[in-house]
Amino acid sequence: MSSGQATQKSVSVRAYYIFLISAVLFGIGQFHRLSGAVTIPPIANDIGIAVENLGGIAAILFFTSAVLQIPNGLLLDRYGPRRVMPFYVGAAIVGCLVMAFAQSFEEVLLSRMLLGGGFSVTMMSAYVLFAKWFPVDRFATIASWMMAASSIGSILASYPLAYFIETFGWRPAYFIVAAFTLLAVFIGVMVIRDAPDEYVQDAKQPTTLIASIKGYVEVLKFPGFFYFLAMGFVAFGPSTAILGMWGGPYLQDIYGLDGVARGEILFMMVVAIPVGALFFGPLDRVIPSRKMIVYTAVGFEIVAFTVLGLNDGLPLWAIAGLFVSIAFLQQHYIVLAAQCRAAFPDYFVGRANSTLNMVSILGVGGMQMLVGWGLWLSPEHGYEISFLGIAALLVTACIFYFWSFTGNPENNLKE
C-alpha cells in the first residue's frame, strides 16, 4: 500500500484497535487537562497554596506540553508512536504519583509539569497513526470519533471527579488514574504498529533525527502556515480556560456554587465536547470550505464571550448555556487539524500537526494566565475584562486566518 492510500481489509481490525487505544490514552490526557477546575481548589486548600498561584499551577501543564510539541513531532516522524508514546506516558504516571503524595506547592507544580509533558504526545501519536492506517479524506471523521470516544475522560473530570473528591479525597483519585494509565500503556505497546505491512514509506521520510530537524524548516516556511497558526492559538484556549481552571472559581465567586453544583455545570460542558466533535467531523466532508466552517464557529464564540464580558448580572441558566455552547464550538479544532493534515504529505504530518498543537496549547496556557491577570487588575470585574480580552483575541485570529494556505492548489487543500 502506498502512502496516503486506504488500508486493506487485512489491516482494518488492527486499525480499529489502534483507534481505540489512541482514544483511551488521549482521553486520560484530557482528564488531566480539564480536571484543574475540580482538583486545584481542594489541593490548594489542603496544601495552602495562595490564590494568585492557581493560574500558574493550571497553566504549567499546558506550557510544558507546548514546549515539547516540536521535539514530539521530530521524534514521531523519525521513530514512530510505538516507541515514543510509552516513554512519555510513563512520565505522566510518575506525575500522578507525585501528586498523590504532594505536600508542597513545588511538588504540585512538578506533578503538573510531568502530566503535561507525559500526555503531550498522545494526540500527535494518534494523528500520525491515523495518517498511515486510514485514508486522508477520512482524517477529520476519524479524529472526531477519537474526540468523542475520549470524552469519557473529560466527563470523569467534571461532576464524577468532584463527587469522588467530596467523598474520598483527591489523593486516591490520582492513585487510581496512575494504575489505569499503566494498564493502558501496556495494552498500547501490544497493539500499536506504526504502519500496516503494506505501507510504503515515502522516499522523503526522514531516516535520521538530523534529517527530521532539517525538514522542520520546510514546515515552518510553508506558504500561509504562519497565518494558519494564528487561528490555532485560539482554537483550544477559550473553552479550556473555563473548563480546565477558571469555570469553577468563576461559578463559586460570582454565583456562590459549591463543588458539586460547579461540577454539574462543568459536566454539561464536557458532554457538549463529543457532541461537537461528532458534529464538526462529518461536516468537514459536507461543506466545501473548511475556512467557512471555522469562521462560523469562531464567530459564534466571539458573540458568546462578548455577551459574558458585557453583562455581569446574567442568570445562572444563561451562563450555563453560554459555557456549553463555547465547549461545543471549540470542536471546530477537528476541522482545523484536518486542514493542516491535508496541506502536508505523510512524512510531515507529525511535525506540521505538532506545531499546530504546540500553538494551540500555548493559547490555552496564555488564556488561563489572561484570566488571572484580569482578576489581578480588577478583583471586582476581572472576569468580564478577561472574557472581552478573549473575544478580542478571537477577532484578531480571524483576520490573520484569512491569508492562511491561500493559493496552494498543488497540495489539494480544501480551503
Side-chain angles (χ1 to χ4, degrees), residues 6 10 58 83 92 126-127 141 182 238 244 262 293 300 304 310 332 345 349 353 360 369:
S10 61
R83 284 190 281 179
Y127 284 177
T141 301
L182 180 62
R262 297 195 302 269
I293 299 172
F300 280 111
L310 294 179
H332 76 271
V349 168
N353 277 87
S360 300
M369 296 295 287

Side-chain angles (χ1 to χ4, degrees), residues 329-340:
L329 293 166
Q330 177 186 277
Q331 302 314 304
H332 76 271
Y333 181 86
I334 292 169
V335 178
L336 205 65
Q339 188 179 8
C340 184

